[in-house]
Amino acid sequence: MTRRAVIVLAIFVGSALVAAPPSDGKRWWSYIEFLANDQMKGRDTGSPEHLKAAQYVAEQFRNDGLTAAGIQGFIQPVKFKAWKIVEPQCSIELIRGGKPERLTLGEDAFISRGVEPAESVEAPLVFAGYGLTVPEMKYDDFAGLDVRGKVIVMLGGGPSNIPGPLKAHYQNGLERRRFLARAGVIGTVTIQNPNTADVPWSRTALARFQESMELADPALNPPGSLKMTITVNPAHAAQWLDGSGHTVEELLALATAGKPLPHFPLVPSLRAHAKIQTRELVSQNIVAARPGTDPALKSQYVVLSAHIDHVGVGEPINGDRIYNGAMDNASGVATMLDIARTLHDEKIQTKRALLFVIVTGEEKGLLGSRYFAAHPTVPTKSMVADLNADMFLPLYPLHIVTVYGLKESDLGDTLRKVAQSLDVEVQDDPAPQRNVFIRSDQYSFIRVGVPSLMMDDGFKKGSKEEAIEKEWLKTRYHAPSDDLKQPVDLQAAAQYNRLLMKLAETVADDPAPPEWKPDSFFRRFAN
Ligand SMILES: [Zn+2]
């Protein structure tokens, strides 16, 4: 479809939506129906459908009286370099006593999408525990370990005596790869931990065919030059450890208990070949501003962010190839559109300005938000907070919100007050091992010093709501069934949107901008 035809369609659909009432969640859902229907083909970063979605969002913002705050109107173009694995020409072998043992790709292991793989890698293997360095805790899996020119084998996570936020932060590629480079590691092999993985191996493995991306500007990508990263099926990992005196079961049990892991050389060495196809592409962030009213505060912004990209068309599951991404994250974008509409309809004014930042490339590694943070369209110092919404999962009535970053900044205290006034309970992240606080776009804002938080429709441990969410992650997360046919609680979504809007208003009207807590680990980025 041509660009012009896309815009006409967007205007038509946009005006058809305006009449619906906001309070019952139907208007919110109608935005999702546009963004996540099959014609949108899963809004892959750089795809024509992603562009169509971006233009639709821009059109909604225009209708809501917001001002364009991108580079080309509402749009901020972002350049990417992309690659796709050509698996028939790839191989992973373990060499034991000179003899190759060829692994079955996808079943035993696969070449992961984290780094652009080199054509060939041959190196000794060393088990390096969590492969983690946390300077504040004087924790270093590489201390005294000879890994120069070698490939390390590791498990995700870290020992339980390291606080969650630190552990999460140092597992992020932007940090971890600095230490891998310093230690001279040339590749990593991660054994998936079935006890902490969101999805079963079969779905992890299917994702290897998706296109991987980096920002085109090399200065914005993680440091160092890993030649290859590999992911291993825990059920087929024994081969790697054979002869080392250790078993997968033993190591997984230690990791799950948060205990220290041993370090030891492995008997086989690695020989791997990779063939990739590369291309360059452009995708879109969308940025819209709603002016503030206070002469002293209106030059400051409260950011409301959500990612619009999903993973596109991929390997079929139950005959369906379209990964619609209705909850991930058409839902968060719909929340932003719903809030913008409500602010407009109710003629709500705020002292500070609001900045809606809808980002691309989240699924490729928070790339659109990383680009925006490096090239903000308003001064970094003028952004006083980021409130992010990503897959908040209104699958059941909203009584509790789970908050990521609750104790890190004043935003948590403000949220407590706002939530109380709406009769919603607030709780801290009950599953810090999932690293959610650094797994969505708020992390890009955190890294440039902006206090941030994200919240989800929450549940109590052991409740039926927990079972519903677990089942959702297992069956629908990053699967084609995250589509328009799934059951969603519209009332819960409407409440969530109301709560997030009130929080944004309260932060925007507060005479003092939010601050990181004095003891927050993330405060360092503010200096
Ligand atoms: Zn996702």
Side-chain angles (χ1 to χ4, degrees):
M1 192 180 282
T2 67
R3 213 180 157 101
R4 185 170 311 186
V6 166
I7 293 171
V8 171
L9 176 67
I11 292 169
F12 172 73
V13 174
S15 54
L17 291 172
V18 187
S23 57
D24 56 7
K26 284 195 185 128
R27 188 177 67 199
W28 172 80
W29 182 251
S30 70
Y31 296 128
I32 297 176
E33 284 177 324
F34 183 91
L35 294 167
N37 73 66
D38 279 355
Q39 274 88 56
M40 298 304 283
K41 293 186 182 163
R43 306 181 308 281
D44 203 2
T45 298
S47 69
E49 293 79 15
H50 184 292
L51 173 62
K52 185 169 152 184
Q55 289 171 334
Y56 168 78
V57 167
E59 204 50 49
Q60 299 304 315
F61 281 153
R62 194 191 311 278
N63 291 344
D64 297 337
L66 301 187
T67 23
I71 299 296
Q72 299 164 358
F74 289 90
I75 304 290
Q76 179 184 46
V78 185
K79 284 187 189 156
F80 293 91
K81 176 184 180 189
W83 68 91
K84 222 173 185 162
I85 215 98
V86 185
E87 199 166 82
Q89 294 174 57
C90 298
S91 63
I92 302 176
E93 291 169 308
L94 294 175
I95 313 292
R96 194 187 303 269
K99 275 201 237 143
E101 300 165 5
R102 191 165 179 141
L103 304 189
T104 305
L105 297 177
E107 212 171 294
D108 298 327
F110 60 84
I111 296 168
S112 11
R113 297 160 55 229
V115 303
E116 184 183 328
E119 259 176 56
S120 98
V121 175
E122 279 199 71
L125 292 164
V126 177
F127 188 81
Y130 299 103
L132 189 66
T133 308
V134 183
E136 289 81 356
M137 302 291 296
K138 301 199 176 2
Y139 180 88
D140 188 4
D141 270 314
F142 305 111
L145 198 63
D146 177 18
V147 289
R148 195 152 294 277
K150 297 180 182 172
V151 169
I152 60 159
V153 180
M154 61 185 200
L155 289 168
S160 54
N161 64 331
I162 299 176
L166 256 90
K167 202 155 43 186
H169 172 74
Y170 284 108
Q171 283 182 78
N172 185 282
L174 291 169
E175 298 300 324
R176 194 201 289 271
R177 278 165 64 180
R178 263 193 309 140
F179 297 107
L180 291 175
R182 195 179 69 180
V185 173
I186 63 162
T188 66
V189 174
T190 305
I191 301 173
Q192 177 168 301
N193 186 337
N195 304 311
T196 54
D198 279 339
V199 298
W201 172 260
S202 59
R203 291 242 313 285
T204 307
L206 275 187
R208 72 194 186 277
F209 297 114
Q210 289 167 17
E211 201 167 34
S212 304
M213 291 184 196
E214 275 188 343
L215 289 166
D217 178 358
L220 299 180
N221 291 318
S225 55
L226 281 184
K227 286 186 174 13
M228 199 177 285
T229 55
I230 289 172
T231 307
V232 174
N233 183 351
H236 296 208
Q239 223 175 330
W240 297 74
L241 293 163
D242 254 4
S244 69
H246 295 274
T247 66
V248 187
E249 292 71 27
E250 166 210 342
L251 298 172
L252 285 175
L254 288 170
T256 301
K259 295 206 171 119
L261 289 173
H263 303 122
F264 50 90
L266 298 184
V267 176
S269 62
L270 174 74
R271 184 162 74 195
H273 293 278
K275 170 84 182 147
I276 54 168
Q277 259 169 7
T278 61
R279 66 178 182 126
E280 284 167 4
L281 55 97
V282 177
S283 196
Q284 304 83 30
N285 288 338
I286 307 104
V287 195
R290 195 166 193 279
T293 53
D294 185 286
L297 298 177
K298 67 181 184 187
S299 62
Q300 299 178 2
Y301 296 87
V302 174
V303 176
L304 287 146
S305 60
H307 78 88
I308 189 168
D309 65 296
H310 193 57
V311 300
V313 177
E315 296 304 301
I317 297 178
N318 299 326
D320 189 357
R321 302 186 74 98
I322 300 173
Y323 288 59
N324 304 73
M327 291 301 103
D328 186 12
N329 184 35
S331 69
V333 175
T335 286
M336 299 311 164
L337 295 178
D338 205 45
I339 289 175
R341 187 77 225 168
T342 306
L343 290 167
H344 179 76
D345 288 350
E346 298 182 7
K347 300 188 171 58
I348 294 166
Q349 306 277 14
T350 53
K351 291 181 177 164
R352 288 189 182 79
L354 303 179
L355 193 71
F356 291 89
V357 181
I358 308 300
V359 295
T360 187
E362 190 272 353
E363 302 289 3
K364 313 294 181 187
L366 318 185
L367 300 183
S369 58
R370 191 191 299 165
Y371 183 86
F372 180 82
H375 300 281
T377 55
V378 302
T380 304
K381 288 266 178 252
S382 71
M383 296 187 279
V384 301
D386 169 49
L387 308 174
N388 189 50
D390 186 2
M391 214 176 89
F392 63 96
L393 295 183
L395 306 176
Y396 37 78
L398 183 107
H399 301 302
I400 313 169
V401 283
T402 292
V403 185
Y404 307 97
L406 181 65
K407 294 181 180 141
E408 305 299 333
S409 76
D410 301 340
L411 290 171
D413 307 313
T414 308
L415 174 62
R416 280 183 197 282
K417 282 184 215 136
V418 175
Q420 197 174 29
S421 74
L422 294 175
D423 215 16
V424 173
E425 212 179 298
V426 165
Q427 71 177 10
D428 207 353
D429 181 3
Q433 75 280 2
R434 286 183 62 223
N435 294 341
V436 173
F437 195 46
I438 68 153
R439 265 174 63 182
S440 188
D441 296 297
Q442 68 274 3
Y443 187 60
S444 297
F445 289 92
I446 291 168
R447 289 186 68 97
V448 292
V450 181
S452 305
L453 65 74
M454 178 168 84
M455 56 184 185
D456 289 350
D457 190 352
F459 55 80
K460 290 272 183 235
K461 264 198 158 79
S463 63
K464 68 171 191 299
E465 287 80 10
E466 179 180 29
I468 292 171
E469 170 158 321
K470 276 226 159 97
E471 185 59 23
W472 190 94
L473 288 172
K474 205 170 102 197
T475 59
R476 295 190 197 265
Y477 176 57
H478 280 213
S481 57
D482 177 13
D483 62 9
L484 299 179
K485 293 192 289 276
Q486 66 190 303
V488 171
D489 189 324
L490 296 186
Q491 192 61 44
Q495 275 179 284
Y496 177 94
N497 296 350
R498 184 56 67 169
L499 174 59
L500 185 58
M501 186 182 84
K502 287 265 161 233
L503 175 63
E505 277 181 72
T506 309
V507 177
D509 286 341
D510 193 331
E515 298 275 358
W516 291 102
K517 295 288 185 193
D519 60 348
S520 172
F521 165 77
F522 298 102
R523 187 186 184 87
R524 69 188 56 202
F525 296 113
N527 303 321

